[in-house]
Amino acid sequence: MDTVDHRHLGSDRLAAALKSGFHRVIEEQDELNRINVFPVPDSDTGTNLSLTLGSALGVLDREFKHLGSLLAALADALLDGARGNSGAIMAQFFQGVSDATGDLSRYTTHTFGKAIEQGSEYAHDAIAEPREGTILSVITAFASAIRQQAVDQKEERFDVVLPAAVDRLRQALADTTGQLEVLRRAGVVDAGAKGFVTLVEGAMHFLVDNRVTPRPAVAALEDVVAVAAGADEESEFRFCTECIVTGADIDRRKLREDLGELGDSLVLAGTKRKAKIHIHVDEPEQVFELAGRYGTVSAEKADDMHRQTHSSHDARRKFAVITDSAADIPDEDMERLDIHMVPCRIHFGDRSFIDKVSITNEEFFAEVERNPDHPKTSQPAPGDFRRQFQFLATHYADVLSVSLSAKPSGTWQAAVSAAERVNAPGRVHIVDSMNASTGQGMLAVLAAECAEAGLSLEEARSVLDTQIPRTRTFALVKDLNFAVRGGRVPGYVKPVADLLRITPIIRTFPDGRVTNGGFLFGRRRRINRFARFVVDKSVVEGPMCVSIAHALCPEDARELADQFQEELPEIKRMTITDLGSALGVHGGPGTLLAATMPWYPLAASDQRD
C-alpha cells in the first residue's frame, strides 16, 4: 500500500524534490563545465547553473501553503540570481511554470503537464534565435512527454508519468550531439541541456523512490580540470553582459528587438515588471543605457569572456591571479599575464557604471568635471567576486586574489566572504596588498609573473609577503575641490591651502592606511619636488620598479618619469598608465600618482627587461 499520494503533488514535496534536483546539478557542475562548448567554449555552464540554482535554495527551505506562492517566490529568486545563458533560460522556464500554476494548492498530472508546457513556451520566447540541440530541445521533450501521458492518455500517477518522461529526456539529451556541429566535433552533449536533465532526474528520484540528493560538499581536488572538449574558437563579442530591468509595464518585444542589434546570445527572461537581460556584446554600457529606457536598471554585470576562455585553455600556470579594479594596471600587462579583474561600481547620482568596463578612466574624469553629482564608489558585491572565483577555481588548483587595502575599503572583506562560499575544486587565497592604484597593480602584476615563471602558490605568496611591506603609493592632488565635494576634506581646508600654496600628498602606509602623508609648499617645480618626496619616502635600495598614473595629465606623467630617471640610480621597469577611480575620486583631474617597489628577479621579468 502506498504511503505517498502519487496522484497529487503539493508544495512541500515539490520543494523537497526541486532541492534534490538543484543539489544534483551543483554536484555535477565540474562535468557540465568540462563539456561546455556552446554557445561559447568558456567552460562555465556548470558554474552558472550552480550559481543560478544556488541563489534560490533558500526559497525551497521556506514553508508555503500553496504551490502558486512557492513557485512565484522561486521564479523571482531565480530571475535575480540567473547567471549565463542557461541560467537565464532556466529562470524563464520556472517563470512560465509559475504563471501557469497561479493559485493552485497542488498539482495533478494534468495541471502539472500544463504548467511544464507553459514553462517550455516561456523558455523559447526568451531566446532571440532558438537553436535545436540546446537546453530548449530537452525542455521541449520534457513538456511533450508529460503532455502525452498526463493530458492525452490521462495517466494520473506521477510515479508512472515521471520515469517515462525522464527516459524521453535522456534520449533527447543524447540527440543533441548530432544536432549541433560544434557538439558533434567535440563528441559531447549540450552542457545546458544536461544540466536540465540532471535537475529533473534528481527531482524524479525523490518523488518516485524517495531518494534524496544532499547538498554536495566541495569536491576533492584530483587534477586541474581539463580544458573544454574541442573548444577552439572565441566568441565574436567580448563581454557576457547581464542586468535586471524593473518597471511598471516593460515592452519585452521591443526591448528584445533593440537589444538584438547590439550583440548575440541574447536571452530576455522575466515579466512585464522585471526582466533579466543576458547578451554578449563589446560595449556593455550600450546595454545598460538601452535597458534604462525601459525601467530601473540594477545588478549590472559584465564578464570578459575572452580572458576566461584563454584561462580555461592555459595549463601552464599553477594558479590564476585576480584583483579588483582599484588596481591600476597597464592594459598590456593585463593581457600579457592574463590577470582577471572584478570591477567596482561608480555612482553619479542615480546613474551607475561598472568601473573600467562600462566607463573608461578618461570618461570617468570627464564626467567628474562636468557632473554636479560627485561620484561615489562602492566595492564589488561578494557575488561579483564569487562568480569569478568559482570560474577560476574550476580551472586552477589555486586562485590568488590581490585586494585593495582593507583599511579604507570593505573590498578585502567582500573577497574573503565570497571565497568562503566557493564550491569548486580549487582553493581561493585572498591577499591584502596594503596598497591601492598602481601600488596594488604592481603587486598583482608580480603575482602573475610568479605564475608565468612557474612558481607554486606558496612560493608566490612568499614573494608577495616580502614585497608588500616595501611597496609604497603616493598621489599628488592638484585641486582640493574634488576632495571637498566628496566630503573627504572639510570645506575650510581648501581656502587655507590655497592661501598657503599647499599641495597635499596622499600616500599608503605599512599598516594599509591610505591617507594624507605630507604637503608640498609652493607651486613652483611641483613635479620635481614630488619626485624627490617619493624617493625620500620610499623604502627601496638598489634596483626598483616604478609605476606612474595620471588623471588626464599625460605631460605631467612624462615629466615625472624623466625626473625619476635622474633621481633613482637603477630603475628596472617603469610604466605609465591612466589613474582609475579608487584614488582618482578624491583627487579629480590633474592628480598624479607614483608607486615604488623593489625589483624582484623572476624569469618573466628577466626576459622582458
Side-chain angles (χ1 to χ4, degrees):
M1 181 175 180
D2 288 341
T3 58
V4 175
D5 179 6
H6 285 292
R7 294 178 183 272
H8 300 94
L9 180 57
S11 58
D12 289 347
R13 278 185 60 76
L14 178 61
L18 289 174
K19 187 189 299 185
S20 194
F22 285 16
H23 286 172
R24 189 163 180 189
V25 174
I26 295 170
E27 188 176 60
E28 294 293 324
Q29 65 176 302
D30 289 346
E31 173 63 11
L32 298 178
N33 284 335
R34 186 189 69 80
I35 64 173
N36 171 210
V37 297
F38 180 84
V40 179
D42 50 5
S43 303
D44 66 352
T45 290
T47 298
N48 284 334
L49 279 177
S50 294
L51 290 173
T52 300
L53 300 178
S55 69
L57 280 172
V59 172
L60 299 177
D61 287 328
R62 291 155 52 188
E63 293 186 5
F64 295 90
K65 295 180 65 174
H66 302 290
L67 281 172
S69 54
L70 163 65
L71 286 163
L74 180 64
D76 208 45
L78 288 171
L79 187 65
D80 286 342
R83 299 293 185 216
N85 194 305
S86 294
I89 295 171
M90 190 79 80
Q92 188 68 350
F93 168 77
F94 277 100
Q95 184 66 60
V97 173
S98 171
D99 287 354
T101 302
D103 296 328
L104 288 176
S105 60
R106 61 181 185 173
Y107 282 134
T108 63
T109 58
H110 183 276
T111 54
F112 180 72
K114 290 292 188 181
I116 296 299
E117 197 166 24
Q118 184 157 314
S120 176
E121 292 172 1
Y122 272 45
H124 281 76
D125 288 344
I127 306 298
E129 298 179 2
R131 297 282 298 274
E132 288 300 320
T134 66
I135 186 174
L136 295 177
S137 298
V138 296
I139 290 176
T140 299
F142 185 51
S144 176
I146 296 292
R147 177 182 178 84
Q148 181 182 6
Q149 297 176 84
V151 179
D152 298 340
Q153 299 176 7
K154 297 183 171 44
E155 174 57 60
E156 297 181 351
R157 292 180 63 89
F158 280 95
D159 57 341
V160 175
V161 169
L162 289 174
V166 167
D167 287 343
R168 175 69 188 91
L169 261 184
R170 291 167 178 159
Q171 182 57 54
L173 176 62
D175 290 343
T176 63
T177 302
Q179 290 175 303
L180 286 173
E181 177 62 20
V182 65
L183 300 179
R184 187 192 63 77
R185 289 201 314 266
V188 297
V189 298
D190 179 69
K194 184 174 176 62
F196 183 82
V197 174
T198 300
L199 190 161
V200 174
E201 285 177 333
M204 184 270 292
H205 286 315
F206 175 84
L207 292 173
V208 175
D209 305 321
N210 205 33
R211 288 160 54 187
V212 176
T213 302
R215 182 164 188 159
V218 176
L221 180 65
E222 295 175 358
D223 298 305
V224 176
V225 177
V227 299
D232 56 4
E233 297 178 358
E234 292 186 349
S235 172
E236 176 185 352
F237 297 96
R238 178 153 193 164
F239 291 97
C240 176
T241 305
E242 295 179 355
C243 65
I244 290 176
V245 187
T246 305
D249 188 16
I250 300 170
D251 187 340
R252 293 176 64 244
R253 180 191 61 80
K254 185 66 167 62
L255 176 57
R256 181 187 290 109
E257 290 176 357
D258 291 346
L259 288 167
E261 299 178 2
L262 301 182
D264 63 13
S265 296
L266 170 62
V267 181
L268 181 62
T271 66
K272 288 186 176 182
R273 62 178 180 80
K274 180 186 285 186
K276 178 69 175 271
I277 296 170
H278 167 282
I279 188 171
H280 295 171
V281 295
D282 285 329
E283 300 292 340
E285 179 58 21
Q286 294 180 359
V287 176
F288 306 141
E289 287 182 356
L290 174 59
R293 302 173 200 164
Y294 291 82
T296 302
V297 180
S298 62
E300 302 101 322
K301 173 188 88 72
D303 286 342
D304 189 333
M305 296 185 297
H306 286 190
R307 185 156 290 134
Q308 285 186 341
T309 300
H310 185 265
S311 286
S312 68
H313 288 69
D314 190 351
R316 295 174 302 160
R317 296 182 176 92
K318 297 177 182 177
F319 60 92
V321 174
I322 187 168
T323 188
D324 53 80
S325 65
D328 292 321
I329 302 173
D331 289 342
E332 56 268 27
D333 285 339
M334 292 289 293
E335 296 292 337
R336 174 178 63 89
L337 295 167
D338 215 19
I339 300 171
H340 296 256
M341 183 168 283
V342 181
C344 304
R345 306 293 170 127
I346 301 170
H347 312 279
F348 287 91
D350 59 0
R351 190 178 183 191
S352 297
F353 298 90
I354 302 177
D355 190 22
K356 298 178 180 175
V357 175
S358 63
I359 187 170
T360 66
N361 290 333
E362 287 187 357
E363 291 169 341
F364 167 75
F365 286 109
E367 190 72 17
V368 167
E369 284 190 302
R370 64 173 175 260
N371 197 316
D373 292 316
H374 190 74
K376 298 182 183 300
T377 58
S378 61
Q379 67 205 43
D384 292 342
F385 278 110
R386 185 186 176 202
R387 186 175 60 253
Q388 295 214 42
F389 288 169
Q390 189 87 10
F391 173 84
L392 293 172
T394 300
H395 297 284
Y396 288 89
D398 292 287
V399 178
L400 184 59
S401 177
V402 181
S403 175
L404 170 65
S405 174
K407 287 284 179 151
S409 169
T411 301
W412 177 84
Q413 186 57 55
V416 170
S417 298
E420 291 172 349
R421 296 172 57 211
V422 169
N423 179 19
R427 298 167 298 170
V428 181
H429 311 262
I430 313 299
V431 171
D432 185 346
S433 72
M434 301 288 187
N435 268 270
S437 187
T438 57
Q440 178 188 353
M442 284 200 297
L443 291 164
V445 167
L446 178 61
E449 288 180 334
C450 287
E452 181 80 3
L455 272 65
S456 68
L457 186 281
E458 291 73 19
E459 290 170 326
R461 292 198 69 166
S462 177
V463 171
L464 290 179
D465 288 344
T466 299
Q467 296 292 80
I468 287 173
R470 304 169 68 195
T471 302
R472 296 285 189 275
T473 305
F474 307 86
L476 184 67
V477 179
K478 184 177 183 180
D479 187 348
L480 276 176
N481 269 320
F482 301 101
V484 171
R485 285 173 57 189
R488 290 284 177 171
V489 172
Y492 67 83
V493 172
K494 185 179 186 310
V496 174
D498 289 343
L499 179 65
L500 299 178
R501 303 178 68 80
I502 292 173
T503 303
I505 295 175
I506 299 171
R507 58 170 293 192
T508 59
F509 287 84
D511 63 358
R513 286 178 297 130
V514 183
T515 187
N516 179 64
F519 299 93
L520 298 182
F521 293 93
R523 303 292 167 82
R524 293 182 63 253
R525 304 186 67 201
R526 177 176 64 97
I527 295 174
N528 176 281
R529 289 185 294 121
F530 177 54
R532 290 183 178 176
F533 182 96
V534 171
V535 172
D536 289 343
K537 299 297 183 182
S538 293
V539 288
V540 179
E541 296 180 1
M544 67 187 305
C545 300
V546 177
S547 184
I548 297 170
H550 66 89
L552 304 184
C553 52
E555 296 82 4
D556 288 351
R558 285 192 289 271
E559 182 180 344
L560 181 61
D562 292 341
Q563 193 65 40
F564 279 138
Q565 294 287 1
E566 294 181 10
E567 295 279 346
L568 294 169
E570 188 176 3
I571 298 177
K572 282 289 188 176
R573 188 187 185 210
M574 182 183 295
T575 62
I576 298 177
T577 190
D578 294 331
L579 181 65
S581 64
L583 290 182
V585 70
H586 308 305
T591 300
L592 195 59
L593 183 143
T596 61
M597 182 181 74
W599 176 68
Y600 198 94
L602 291 167
S605 301
D606 290 341
Q607 292 171 5
R608 193 177 63 254
D609 295 320

